[in-house]
Amino acid sequence: MNKLSFVENRFEGVLPSSISNLSTQLTELYLDGNKISGTIPVAMQNLINLIGLGMEYNLLTGTIPTSFGKFQKMQKLSLQGNKLSGKIPSSIGNLTQLAELFLSQNNLEGSIPPSTDSLKNINSLDVSKNNLSGEIPTTIGNCLNLVYLGLQGNSFNGTIPSSMASLKSLEHLDVSQNNLSGLIPKGLEKLSFLKYLNISFNNIEGEFHPFLFFIGGKKSKKKPSSIVSNIDLLPTISYKMLHQATNGFSLDNLIGSGSFGSVYKGVLDQEERLVAIKVLNLQNKDASKSFMSECKVLRNVRHRNLIKILTCCSSINYNGDDFKALVFEFMANGSLEMWLHPMTDSDNQSKNLSILQRLIIAIDVAFALNYLHNHCEQKIIHCDLKPSNILLDSDMIAHVSDFGLSRLLTTSNDSSQKYTSTIGLKGSIGYAVPEYGMGGEGMLIQVVDPVLLPREVEGMGVATAAMMATKEDDNDNEIEVEEANNTEDFRHIDVDMQKCLLSVLNIGILCSLESPKERINMEEVIKELQMIKSTLLVRGFAKVDQVELK
């Protein structure tokens, strides 16, 4: 046995010390995405031939064993998303073959051990969202193969080491939400592969050099008193630049519109970077409030499945009128709405999303909501999540957008929760949850897209599928399928497809129960959707060659 994987199951309890009795020939062990608790057995050190160990997103406590330094063949170690505490052991520097180290989203404390400079082969290092402190070691500049470095969400102080200018391969650097001060090292401008830099929420000062787009600025203890102070953490852009980028806000560049404004496609500067420019309709009295709300939310969040704000503009147009706009990454594949409900003359009319693509998009959205609900410093409720607010990039990765109606959720000292918002209870009918808006119950016959059904049952298959009943078995939680009203033609649909559709619909029902306390949380939604996806792939039902999997 060389590889053992129990990824994305429902294993619970502690890891027994007997795990060390596994064959010494074992090279890969993956236990990610379960509910394993307790401490990491020291006896695991006996698995000396491990090159890959993954125990991320479990309930592990205790410390990282210093004995892990014996894994001298280790190339990937992932312990992120647990409840580990204590310090990062200096013995980690013994793992000279290590290429990927993921320790984010734990309760680790202390400093980054200087021994990390021995990790000559490391290309990805993520220790974000812990309780780490002290200065970022200058020896980090010795890790010359680093491509990804995540240090955000800790309490690092001091300056950004100038030695980082030696990281010639660096593409992603995030030091946001720390206590860093001083100047941005000028050497960072010469890192030709650097695509992403985030220094926001620190006390960094000095000139802004747009070799890059990034979110940067100082922390401020002042209470915002105007629109300008609400967006002062974002680098701003002039009205003239946006006017030029959109060819005078030409209708040829108009890609969408709504009650709060219009969205234009634009090309910025010499880099010819494509962007989406959301121009607020200030004649709408709620537009300015929406602008402030969206700035307030987006300046505090960063996730691969959330739309990324690049800059903003609060100025005067050529007519002397107030002008406000937000600039986002351009999403090449438009909105999910365009794909699910193409217009008759749309270029996307001939394009259909496979069941696997839809599942992947749903998982992307669930990851975004889980981040907003559970991993932000201040929890965020989107309030208007719908297909038109889910945008798809060139790789069909989903990004949740339009935070103009978002509400910030705070917890007071007495643990009671209170909602705060500047624009009241609003949202789109049919997408707002029962306690936020008005709307009727959706009919199941309108849920299953005929595109997903075989042609021989396409005519009557939607109604047929809708009459299927589901229930959960208390023993093994498996979905049972019951046919209703003589639905003989339904048997033509693959059994795995039946279970997949019913499982997804069941998740939807659990997400929309009348009582918020009874609804399934987003972490469980992610696990359930990933299990459905894994089942389809294992069964060979989904056509993998039609979609690039993430």
Side-chain angles (χ1 to χ4, degrees):
M1 182 189 303
N2 298 110
K3 180 178 179 179
L4 189 59
S5 177
F6 296 107
V7 173
E8 299 294 344
N9 280 286
R10 300 182 180 182
F11 292 114
E12 299 180 350
V14 301
L15 280 175
S17 298
S18 58
I19 195 172
S20 63
N21 295 334
L22 292 171
S23 171
T24 55
Q25 300 304 312
L26 187 67
T27 58
E28 296 178 80
L29 175 61
Y30 300 108
L31 306 170
D32 310 328
N34 286 284
K35 296 183 179 180
I36 300 172
S37 57
T39 59
I40 301 173
V42 176
M44 286 189 69
Q45 64 181 318
N46 296 330
L47 302 175
I48 57 174
N49 289 311
L50 282 179
I51 63 172
L53 175 61
M55 294 190 287
E56 63 185 39
Y57 298 108
N58 279 286
L59 303 173
L60 295 171
T61 56
T63 61
I64 301 173
T66 57
S67 59
F68 270 21
K70 295 185 178 181
F71 293 140
Q72 296 192 12
K73 297 181 180 180
M74 186 71 69
Q75 297 177 17
K76 178 179 180 179
L77 175 60
S78 181
L79 302 173
Q80 65 184 353
N82 282 285
K83 300 179 180 180
L84 297 171
S85 57
K87 296 183 178 180
I88 300 174
S90 59
S91 60
I92 212 79
N94 296 336
L95 309 183
T96 56
Q97 302 301 312
L98 198 62
E100 299 179 4
L101 178 61
F102 301 107
L103 303 177
S104 65
Q105 300 177 51
N106 279 289
N107 298 313
L108 299 173
E109 56 189 16
S111 59
I112 296 177
S115 61
T116 52
D117 70 341
S118 299
L119 305 178
K120 305 297 185 184
N121 293 307
I122 195 161
N123 59 60
S124 297
L125 174 61
D126 190 352
V127 295
S128 61
K129 298 181 181 178
N130 280 286
N131 299 315
L132 299 173
S133 57
E135 295 188 357
I136 300 172
T138 58
T139 52
I140 199 76
N142 295 332
C143 301
L144 299 180
N145 290 314
L146 265 178
V147 174
Y148 182 102
L149 181 58
L151 304 175
Q152 71 272 22
N154 285 287
S155 298
F156 292 119
N157 54 38
T159 62
I160 299 175
S162 58
S163 61
M164 282 190 179
S166 301
L167 304 178
K168 303 299 184 183
S169 300
L170 196 63
E171 296 181 5
H172 179 110
L173 175 59
D174 194 337
V175 295
S176 62
Q177 299 181 52
N178 281 289
N179 297 314
L180 298 172
S181 57
L183 302 175
I184 304 172
K186 290 187 176 180
L188 293 185
E189 299 177 25
K190 299 179 181 179
L191 298 181
S192 56
F193 292 104
L194 191 60
K195 299 176 181 176
Y196 177 91
L197 172 64
N198 192 347
I199 62 171
S200 64
F201 293 91
N202 283 286
N203 295 304
I204 295 171
E205 39 188 43
E207 295 182 5
F208 168 63
H209 299 279
F211 56 92
L212 285 173
F213 284 99
F214 66 94
I215 306 298
K218 292 185 179 181
K219 288 182 178 178
S220 175
K221 296 181 180 179
K222 297 180 181 179
K223 184 178 180 180
S225 58
S226 68
I227 292 178
V228 174
S229 61
N230 263 301
I231 62 175
D232 60 5
L233 294 182
L234 298 174
T236 55
I237 193 171
S238 69
Y239 172 80
K240 179 180 179 181
M241 292 178 67
L242 296 184
H243 190 272
Q244 292 174 341
T246 58
N247 193 23
F249 300 102
S250 166
L251 290 178
D252 293 335
N253 289 321
L254 182 66
I255 56 178
S257 60
S259 60
F260 286 166
S262 302
V263 181
Y264 296 86
K265 179 180 179 180
V267 182
L268 282 182
D269 296 334
Q270 299 88 351
E271 297 180 6
E272 296 187 350
R273 183 171 186 177
L274 285 176
V275 294
I277 302 167
K278 181 179 180 180
V279 179
L280 276 294
N281 174 17
L282 298 182
Q283 293 182 352
N284 184 323
K285 63 179 181 180
D286 289 329
S288 292
K289 295 178 181 179
S290 170
F291 180 73
M292 291 193 302
S293 177
E294 196 153 9
C295 286
K296 191 173 184 179
V297 170
L298 289 174
R299 73 177 187 181
N300 289 316
V301 299
R302 181 67 66 191
H303 190 275
R304 73 187 294 268
N305 296 123
L306 295 178
I307 191 70
K308 185 190 297 183
I309 185 171
L310 300 176
T311 185
C312 61
C313 179
S314 181
S315 183
I316 303 295
N317 65 18
Y318 290 154
N319 295 323
D321 301 319
D322 285 339
F323 176 88
K324 290 178 176 58
L326 297 169
V327 182
F328 301 93
E329 280 187 316
F330 181 74
M331 297 287 111
N333 277 309
S335 71
L336 180 61
E337 174 79 16
M338 292 166 51
W339 285 80
L340 296 179
H341 309 290
M343 299 182 66
T344 55
D345 59 347
S346 171
D347 293 336
N348 285 337
Q349 187 176 10
S350 61
K351 299 180 182 179
N352 293 319
L353 292 173
S354 69
I355 183 66
L356 186 58
Q357 285 176 302
R358 295 172 193 233
L359 273 176
I360 292 174
I361 291 170
I363 291 170
D364 284 344
V365 174
F367 268 116
L369 292 182
N370 184 43
Y371 170 78
L372 293 173
H373 294 177
N374 301 312
H375 298 292
C376 285
E377 185 174 347
Q378 189 173 26
K379 296 182 179 181
I380 297 169
I381 309 300
H382 188 282
C383 290
D384 199 25
L385 188 66
K386 54 188 177 182
S388 60
N389 289 338
I390 297 169
L391 305 180
L392 304 171
D393 65 18
S394 57
D395 296 317
M396 294 299 286
I397 296 173
H399 301 258
V400 174
S401 70
D402 204 340
F403 288 82
L405 297 180
S406 296
R407 295 160 62 80
L408 304 179
L409 184 64
T410 59
T411 306
S412 62
N413 293 331
D414 62 359
S415 298
S416 63
Q417 293 181 330
K418 129 176 136 169
Y419 293 96
T420 60
S421 175
T422 57
I423 54 177
L425 300 179
K426 290 188 178 181
S428 299
I429 293 178
Y431 294 101
V433 289
E435 65 269 26
Y436 287 170
M438 298 169 57
E441 296 183 359
M443 298 295 292
L444 282 178
I445 58 173
Q446 299 171 345
V447 173
V448 181
D449 192 333
V451 171
L452 300 179
L453 303 177
R455 288 188 176 183
E456 59 265 27
V457 292
E458 187 172 327
M460 60 178 295
V462 177
T464 300
M467 291 185 287
M468 299 299 289
T470 65
K471 66 179 181 180
E472 289 191 3
D473 186 286
D474 293 332
N475 296 321
D476 57 12
N477 293 320
E478 290 185 354
I479 300 293
E480 293 183 2
V481 181
E482 298 177 357
E483 297 195 40
N485 294 351
N486 299 319
T487 58
E488 294 183 4
D489 284 328
F490 199 78
R491 58 187 168 82
H492 292 289
I493 303 175
D494 186 277
V495 174
D496 289 320
M497 170 64 101
Q498 294 180 29
K499 289 187 177 181
C500 170
L501 292 174
L502 292 170
S503 297
V504 173
L505 292 178
N506 189 57
I507 293 173
I509 292 171
L510 293 176
C511 285
S512 55
L513 293 175
E514 185 173 356
S515 171
K517 294 181 179 179
E518 295 178 359
R519 294 174 197 151
I520 186 173
N521 64 54
M522 279 298 126
E523 288 188 357
E524 290 298 319
V525 169
I526 290 170
K527 289 185 178 182
E528 294 292 334
L529 290 174
Q530 287 182 326
M531 286 176 62
I532 296 170
K533 175 182 141 184
S534 298
T535 300
L536 285 178
L537 292 175
V538 170
R539 300 285 185 185
F541 177 77
K543 294 182 178 179
V544 183
D545 59 336
Q546 292 185 355
V547 61
E548 181 180 345
L549 298 181
K550 302 187 292 296

